[in-house]
Amino acid sequence: MSTTHQELNGQQSTSVIKQATSAWLTWNAIDIEQRITLISQWSELLKLQHSLGLLPGQMVDFHSLHAVPLISSGEEMPGPTGESNILSTSGRGPFVIMAEQDAPIEAFIALVSCALVAGNSVVMAALPEHEDIISTLEQVCVFSDIEMPIFAVKDNNELENLIINPAIAGVGYVGSEVEAIRLNRVLVNRDGQIALLVVETDLEGLEMVRDQSLVLRFITEKTLTTNVTAVGGNATLLALGCGE
């Protein structure tokens, strides 16, 4: 099991997206408690990396802690005809997470960790400052026999080739407001599904990544409906609805 590092042409871009989509389906199928356990193991390894310091690992712990009450359990919503509706959350798909070179590493890791906790896979640039982030998570995945949910390409220019693909569910960005606006225009003009854009442009206060509910920006909702009401009762309701 190894992380993908490559320069991309058109076919390779498609290959990376296919791999990231496959990894998303596997990662998203893992129970949320197990995902948080794996990510907690990742944060402990991050704290041992002298190049990163303690803050990035603490940022991962912060968002994992606050994600539990927000997305760990479904909400039951009884229906008008007696059916049971369970509202829960799911990852949206592959996310591209990118940052400018001078961006705080803890802000970048906050976006990566929230994307992962929510059940998404991540594509990022294999920059020198990201090597420890990638290698430590890979250690956790190898030890746990879990498919690696992070894929790495050469640099941010390569990531630009990916975000125009409609299979990319969203983009996380840490950097300038000008660049965030440009990325938003790129996503608006692409075909396919509407992509989310999660940005942190306050590089001193880090207002966005300090939000306790940041993980909610990376999820989608799903509903499981179970209806065991008598067929005759449903038929009566349908008849009334038709005015008969």
mmCIF file of all heavy atoms in Angstrom, residues 5 43 83 108 130 164 188 194 213 227 229 235:
data_model
loop_
_atom_site.group_PDB
_atom_site.id
_atom_site.type_symbol
_atom_site.label_atom_id
_atom_site.label_comp_id
_atom_site.label_asym_id
_atom_site.label_seq_id
_atom_site.Cartn_x
_atom_site.Cartn_y
_atom_site.Cartn_z
ATOM 1 N N HIS A 5 2.127 9.439 -5.869
ATOM 2 C CA HIS A 5 2.829 10.667 -6.178
ATOM 3 C C HIS A 5 3.096 10.664 -7.666
ATOM 4 O O HIS A 5 3.802 9.796 -8.160
ATOM 5 C CB HIS A 5 4.182 10.748 -5.455
ATOM 6 C CG HIS A 5 4.060 10.735 -3.966
ATOM 7 N ND1 HIS A 5 4.224 11.856 -3.202
ATOM 8 C CD2 HIS A 5 3.794 9.738 -3.106
ATOM 9 C CE1 HIS A 5 4.090 11.544 -1.921
ATOM 10 N NE2 HIS A 5 3.816 10.256 -1.842
ATOM 11 N N SER A 43 -3.093 11.544 14.796
ATOM 12 C CA SER A 43 -2.725 12.772 15.507
ATOM 13 C C SER A 43 -1.580 12.527 16.490
ATOM 14 O O SER A 43 -0.708 13.385 16.673
ATOM 15 C CB SER A 43 -3.937 13.354 16.245
ATOM 16 O OG SER A 43 -4.241 12.624 17.412
ATOM 17 N N GLU A 83 -44.079 5.798 9.278
ATOM 18 C CA GLU A 83 -42.776 5.265 8.895
ATOM 19 C C GLU A 83 -41.677 5.851 9.782
ATOM 20 O O GLU A 83 -41.852 6.879 10.427
ATOM 21 C CB GLU A 83 -42.467 5.550 7.415
ATOM 22 C CG GLU A 83 -42.065 6.973 7.090
ATOM 23 C CD GLU A 83 -43.237 7.884 6.794
ATOM 24 O OE1 GLU A 83 -44.381 7.490 7.093
ATOM 25 O OE2 GLU A 83 -43.007 8.990 6.281
ATOM 26 N N PHE A 108 -4.084 23.936 7.351
ATOM 27 C CA PHE A 108 -4.162 22.921 6.305
ATOM 28 C C PHE A 108 -4.580 21.575 6.882
ATOM 29 O O PHE A 108 -5.469 20.898 6.354
ATOM 30 C CB PHE A 108 -2.802 22.812 5.613
ATOM 31 C CG PHE A 108 -2.738 21.755 4.549
ATOM 32 C CD1 PHE A 108 -3.308 21.968 3.299
ATOM 33 C CD2 PHE A 108 -2.101 20.547 4.785
ATOM 34 C CE1 PHE A 108 -3.247 20.995 2.315
ATOM 35 C CE2 PHE A 108 -2.032 19.574 3.809
ATOM 36 C CZ PHE A 108 -2.616 19.794 2.568
ATOM 37 N N HIS A 130 4.396 18.677 3.498
ATOM 38 C CA HIS A 130 3.284 17.740 3.664
ATOM 39 C C HIS A 130 3.746 16.294 3.828
ATOM 40 O O HIS A 130 2.915 15.412 4.047
ATOM 41 C CB HIS A 130 2.338 17.820 2.460
ATOM 42 C CG HIS A 130 1.690 19.151 2.285
ATOM 43 N ND1 HIS A 130 1.046 19.525 1.120
ATOM 44 C CD2 HIS A 130 1.580 20.207 3.123
ATOM 45 C CE1 HIS A 130 0.573 20.749 1.249
ATOM 46 N NE2 HIS A 130 0.884 21.188 2.457
ATOM 47 N N ILE A 164 -11.388 20.703 -11.878
ATOM 48 C CA ILE A 164 -12.399 20.928 -12.910
ATOM 49 C C ILE A 164 -13.160 19.650 -13.240
ATOM 50 O O ILE A 164 -14.151 19.687 -13.964
ATOM 51 C CB ILE A 164 -11.764 21.500 -14.195
ATOM 52 C CG1 ILE A 164 -10.723 20.528 -14.761
ATOM 53 C CG2 ILE A 164 -11.147 22.865 -13.933
ATOM 54 C CD1 ILE A 164 -10.152 20.963 -16.102
ATOM 55 N N VAL A 188 -17.349 27.310 -10.225
ATOM 56 C CA VAL A 188 -18.652 27.731 -10.737
ATOM 57 C C VAL A 188 -18.787 27.414 -12.224
ATOM 58 O O VAL A 188 -19.862 27.037 -12.704
ATOM 59 C CB VAL A 188 -18.854 29.241 -10.489
ATOM 60 C CG1 VAL A 188 -20.032 29.781 -11.304
ATOM 61 C CG2 VAL A 188 -19.096 29.510 -9.008
ATOM 62 N N ILE A 194 -22.378 20.488 -8.192
ATOM 63 C CA ILE A 194 -21.890 21.702 -7.535
ATOM 64 C C ILE A 194 -20.850 21.307 -6.507
ATOM 65 O O ILE A 194 -21.105 20.479 -5.636
ATOM 66 C CB ILE A 194 -23.052 22.460 -6.863
ATOM 67 C CG1 ILE A 194 -24.061 22.924 -7.926
ATOM 68 C CG2 ILE A 194 -22.525 23.650 -6.076
ATOM 69 C CD1 ILE A 194 -25.302 23.563 -7.349
ATOM 70 N N SER A 213 -17.719 23.439 14.441
ATOM 71 C CA SER A 213 -18.591 22.670 13.543
ATOM 72 C C SER A 213 -18.047 22.639 12.115
ATOM 73 O O SER A 213 -18.800 22.407 11.166
ATOM 74 C CB SER A 213 -20.008 23.259 13.543
ATOM 75 O OG SER A 213 -19.999 24.615 13.117
ATOM 76 N N ASN A 227 -40.791 1.693 6.248
ATOM 77 C CA ASN A 227 -42.247 1.839 6.303
ATOM 78 C C ASN A 227 -42.888 0.453 6.395
ATOM 79 O O ASN A 227 -42.842 -0.328 5.448
ATOM 80 C CB ASN A 227 -42.749 2.569 5.057
ATOM 81 C CG ASN A 227 -44.201 3.009 5.205
ATOM 82 O OD1 ASN A 227 -44.923 2.519 6.063
ATOM 83 N ND2 ASN A 227 -44.618 3.951 4.369
ATOM 84 N N THR A 229 -46.128 0.262 7.681
ATOM 85 C CA THR A 229 -47.549 0.553 7.886
ATOM 86 C C THR A 229 -48.395 -0.358 7.003
ATOM 87 O O THR A 229 -47.988 -0.732 5.906
ATOM 88 C CB THR A 229 -47.839 2.020 7.521
ATOM 89 O OG1 THR A 229 -46.918 2.853 8.211
ATOM 90 C CG2 THR A 229 -49.252 2.417 7.914
ATOM 91 N N ALA A 235 -53.085 2.876 1.334
ATOM 92 C CA ALA A 235 -53.991 3.039 0.205
ATOM 93 C C ALA A 235 -55.066 4.088 0.524
ATOM 94 O O ALA A 235 -55.441 4.908 -0.326
ATOM 95 C CB ALA A 235 -54.640 1.703 -0.160
#
